[in-house]
């Protein structure tokens, strides 16, 4: 059972806290636990966190013989998706919610978009040794982007403060008729185009693409999008979480390959023999419609949560390759477009140079529990936050 709130000193601040395994055990990269088990899928989708919250709050109130003053939820990645599900589906559970890098679009992003990436990177399912975009091509692309865009914010530090300001034409790196090295092949350029376009079908963009500037580094494309069985070892997939020896990680060329196949095989089709390489997306909407009702936290209607005085704080790293930062921005904009006054109760903080939830060249250590608690206490929404770098002992070391 993972409880990330413990890392923010919640016990020392006087909170009682609880975590849940959402009804199953397994590797973070293996979804076979869901095969033909609707109860587990519903628990994973939304029910387990709600039941855990209701039960834990009852136990806490009974133990202390007092009403609970304030209830908070913190989560990142899958936890960020759980956070949005709570605000949308169970608005009475929590007063303040922090949703970091939220995995809220399981069918379209983690299933469909990742399937599209797998088709581009590994068109032959019998050869998972090296991706279409090789480590050499990845280095070429990353260096070219940073050379052109790193100084746009006035400081050459390996961090793009606003990746949307970076405009780069990868066709300038394409191979000529006589080149074989130090350039991008037509197949590599096509794969790039698919990653940056996101998942779009029938005129709808289900998932935005990725912003520029996050190819290099431990948490970049190599780990999530490209990789290869002959060049990548996904050891300690979740930093700080001890792997369960009973549930080893499956063999996978990159993280998105595992997530995409896991979602499609076990959460959508319930068919372990489903083949990503032959899927044509022609029936994608109908294929995922049933699962989406349980798994996806995409509803921008936060009226009930806000009417109770609820506050939602979203954050995402600009270098996040697990879940596109543009998807988090898209959800925030949908909330505001639906109700302009939601800006009083919903905030989005983007962190330059941060990978998925933490890490990367930028500062990523923020006490999000303090931020949401202060917002509820004072009524003053955070306009900016101070983010710290951390050293090998996970201690603060410089900030912005």
């Amino acid at each position: 059972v993972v409880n990330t709130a413990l890392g923010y000193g919640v016990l020392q601040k006087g909170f009682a806290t609880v975590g849940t395994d959402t009804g199953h055990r397994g590797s973070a990269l293996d979804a076979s636990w869901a095969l033909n088990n609707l109860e587990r899928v519903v628990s994973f989708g939304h029910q387990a966190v709600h039941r855990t919250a209701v039960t834990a709050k009852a136990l806490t109130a009974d133990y202390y013989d007092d009403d609970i003053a304030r209830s908070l939820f913190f989560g990142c990645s899958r936890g960020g998706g759980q956070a949005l599900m709570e605000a949308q589906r169970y608005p009475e559970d929590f007063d303040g919610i922090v949703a970091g890098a939220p995995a809220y679009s399981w069918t379209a992003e983690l299933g469909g978009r990742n399937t599209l990436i797998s088709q581009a990177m590994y068109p032959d399912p019998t050869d998972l040794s090296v991706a279409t975009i090789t480590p050499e091509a990845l280095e070429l692309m990353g260096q070219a982007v940073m050379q052109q865009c790193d100084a746009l914010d006035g400081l050459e530090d390996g961090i793009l403060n606003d990746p949307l300001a970076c405009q780069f034409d990868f066709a300038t790196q394409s191979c000529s008729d006589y080149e074989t090295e130090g350039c991008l092949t037509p197949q590599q350029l096509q794969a790039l185009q698919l990653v940056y376009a996101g998942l779009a079908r029938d005129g709808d963009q289900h998932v935005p693409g990725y912003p520029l500037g996050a190819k290099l580094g431990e948490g970049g494309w190599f780990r999530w999008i490209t990789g290869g069985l002959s060049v990548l070892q996904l050891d300690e997939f979740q930093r700080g979480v001890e792997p369960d020896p009973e549930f080893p990680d499956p063999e996978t060329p990159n993280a998105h390959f595992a997530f995409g196949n896991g979602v499609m095989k076990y959460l959508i089709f319930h068919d372990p023999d489903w083949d990503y390489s032959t899927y044509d997306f022609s029936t994608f909407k109908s294929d995922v419609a049933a699962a989406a009702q349980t798994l996806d936290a995409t509803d921008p209607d936060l009226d009930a949560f806000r009417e109770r005085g609820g506050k939602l704080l979203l954050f995402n790293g600009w270098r996040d390759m697990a879940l596109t930062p543009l998807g988090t921005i898209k959800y925030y904009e949908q909330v505001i477009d639906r109700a302009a006054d939601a800006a009083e109760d919903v905030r989005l903080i983007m962190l330059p140079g941060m990978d998925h939830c933490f890490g990367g060249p930028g500062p990523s250590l923020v006490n999000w529990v303090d931020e949401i608690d202060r917002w509820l206490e004072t009524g003053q929404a955070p306009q900016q936050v101070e983010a710290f770098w951390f050293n090998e002992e996970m201690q603060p070391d410089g900030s912005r």
Side-chain angles (χ1 to χ4, degrees):
V1 174
V2 177
N3 185 340
T4 50
L6 287 169
Y8 293 94
V10 292
L11 293 178
Q12 293 84 344
K13 300 178 196 301
F15 287 100
T17 184
V18 65
T20 173
D21 64 7
T22 68
H24 75 273
R25 294 170 63 202
S27 160
L29 295 173
D30 183 7
S32 60
W33 52 264
L35 181 62
N36 294 321
N37 195 319
L38 183 60
E39 183 177 2
R40 284 183 174 179
V41 173
V42 172
S43 291
F44 175 78
H46 60 86
Q47 188 167 259
V49 172
H50 169 61
R51 286 184 171 178
T52 300
V54 171
T55 304
K57 289 165 70 174
L59 288 169
T60 303
D62 180 72
Y63 180 84
Y64 289 101
D65 193 25
D66 198 1
D67 293 334
I68 295 174
R70 187 175 302 139
S71 295
L72 309 179
F73 184 96
F74 171 84
C76 195
S77 191
R78 172 62 190 140
Q82 292 168 340
L84 293 188
M85 190 69 84
E86 279 291 313
Q88 296 166 19
R89 196 182 286 249
Y90 303 107
E92 296 185 358
D93 283 356
F94 296 100
D95 305 300
I97 293 177
V98 179
Y104 70 90
S105 176
W106 280 82
T107 57
E109 180 168 19
L110 288 164
R113 192 281 314 278
N114 286 351
T115 296
L116 196 68
I117 289 177
S118 294
Q119 291 175 345
M121 298 300 162
Y122 295 96
D124 180 359
T126 66
D127 183 7
L128 306 180
S129 57
V130 181
T132 298
I133 296 179
T134 63
E136 295 77 17
L138 196 60
E139 182 73 18
L140 171 70
M141 292 157 45
Q143 295 289 359
V145 168
M146 296 309 292
Q147 183 176 357
Q148 176 171 310
C149 296
D150 191 4
L152 290 178
D153 53 24
L155 186 64
E156 291 190 49
D157 56 356
I159 299 171
L160 302 185
N161 278 2
D162 180 9
L164 298 182
C166 179
Q167 303 295 320
F168 190 88
D169 183 4
F170 285 103
T172 60
Q173 308 294 310
S174 61
C175 298
S176 66
D177 293 339
Y178 304 101
E179 287 181 302
T180 58
E181 296 181 357
C183 58
L184 301 177
T185 67
Q187 187 181 19
Q188 290 171 336
L189 288 170
Q190 184 178 18
L192 266 180
Q193 185 178 13
L194 286 172
V195 173
Y196 284 121
L199 177 60
R201 287 293 184 276
D202 302 323
D204 294 330
Q205 188 181 50
H206 300 290
V207 182
Y210 285 98
L212 293 169
K215 295 178 183 62
L216 304 179
E218 181 183 357
W221 278 44
F222 187 55
R223 175 185 180 84
W224 291 98
I225 294 176
T226 60
L229 294 180
S230 66
V231 291
L232 174 64
Q233 296 294 323
L234 281 174
D235 296 332
E236 194 188 21
F237 177 72
Q238 290 180 297
R239 184 175 178 181
V241 178
E242 290 294 327
D244 190 331
E246 292 188 42
F247 301 97
D249 291 342
E251 190 176 54
T252 181
N254 61 55
H256 280 330
F257 188 91
F259 280 119
N261 278 293
V263 170
M264 299 298 276
K265 284 182 177 182
Y266 301 114
L267 290 165
I268 294 175
F269 290 111
H270 294 274
D271 177 8
D273 297 320
W274 179 84
D275 184 358
Y276 76 90
S277 67
T278 60
Y279 188 64
D280 65 3
F281 289 91
S282 61
T283 56
F284 178 73
K285 279 188 176 181
S286 58
D287 288 341
V288 305
Q293 295 182 54
T294 299
L295 297 173
D296 291 351
T298 54
D299 188 355
D301 182 356
L302 301 178
D303 290 354
F305 176 68
R306 294 178 52 229
E307 285 170 2
R308 293 186 57 254
K311 306 298 182 184
L312 173 63
L313 181 56
L314 294 144
F315 72 89
N316 217 120
W318 267 121
R319 274 179 48 106
D320 194 338
M321 287 293 102
L323 302 154
T324 173
L326 302 182
T328 304
I329 293 173
K330 177 181 178 181
Y331 176 74
Y332 172 78
E333 290 178 340
Q334 288 174 333
V335 170
I336 303 304
D337 287 345
R338 182 188 172 278
D341 63 343
E344 300 172 5
D345 304 310
V346 182
R347 280 288 187 273
L348 170 61
I349 305 288
M350 301 297 294
L351 286 86
M354 187 176 87
D355 291 339
H356 185 53
C357 293
F358 57 85
S364 61
L365 185 62
V366 178
N367 196 316
W368 298 106
V369 172
D370 280 355
E371 294 293 340
I372 192 69
D373 196 34
R374 188 182 303 115
W375 187 359
L376 288 166
E377 182 71 28
T378 66
Q380 299 298 313
Q383 303 300 320
Q384 60 182 22
V385 299
E386 184 174 12
F388 293 84
W389 281 277
F390 51 87
N391 57 27
E392 293 180 356
E393 286 74 39
M394 297 295 289
Q395 297 301 309
D397 187 15
S399 69
R400 284 184 181 172

